[in-house]
Every structure is written in structure tokens, then in C-alpha cells.
Amino acid sequence: AALGLLPLGKTQSPESLLDIAARKVAEKWPFQRVEERFERIPEPVQRRIVYWSFPRSEREICMYSSFNTGAEDLAIAPGGAA
């Protein structure tokens, strides 16, 4: 990185190894699978994996928050018939 391009007084600190590893785990596996696979996961590691498991962009948050499982449709029409 060209440090000369940063404004004076501004520095970038590298990502911690914990954050890098937690982000990579969260990108590949659901947290439930991680919990099932490993017996003991230190709490700080759990917190970072959970943090990175959630969507980052507003678009992704809207997409997941409006996810429709179809359960509402079944409540309206018993048996799923329209």
C-alpha cells in the first residue's frame, strides 16, 4: 500500500488474525455447523464468527429480513392450496 496516499495523521491498522479467521469461517459455514463440529470454542472467537456471520450491506440486510419461508401462505390457505 502506498502510505503517501493517506491523509496526514491517518494510518491503517491491519486486521487481526482473529478477525481474518472468523470472517473466513463465517463465509464458509453456518455458525450452527461450527458449534456442532468443535467441542470447545473460546467465547471471543464465537463472538467474532457470529459478528461476521451477519450481512454487511444494506441490500443484503433487506434481502434477508424480507425472506419469506412460505409459512404465511400456509396460514392463509390450509394445505397450501391457493
Side-chain angles (χ1 to χ4, degrees):
L3 294 177
L5 299 177
L6 293 174
L8 290 177
K10 300 274 183 172
T11 60
Q12 291 181 319
S13 58
E15 247 186 314
S16 72
L17 183 57
L18 171 59
D19 270 330
I20 294 168
R23 184 169 31 88
K24 291 299 181 185
V25 167
E27 287 172 0
K28 278 195 158 233
W29 298 291
F31 185 70
Q32 181 180 355
R33 182 177 255 167
V34 174
E35 281 185 311
E36 292 169 354
R37 170 72 173 84
F38 300 99
E39 257 182 59
R40 289 181 282 154
I41 305 169
E43 191 172 328
V45 175
Q46 287 181 27
R47 277 191 257 130
R48 295 316 293 167
I49 294 171
V50 169
Y51 172 81
W52 287 109
S53 294
F54 286 94
R56 298 279 153 246
S57 73
E58 186 176 342
R59 184 176 152 263
E60 288 177 326
I61 292 169
C62 289
M63 181 178 74
Y64 286 110
S65 67
S66 65
F67 185 108
N68 183 357
T69 61
E72 296 84 15
D73 296 337
L74 293 177
I76 295 169

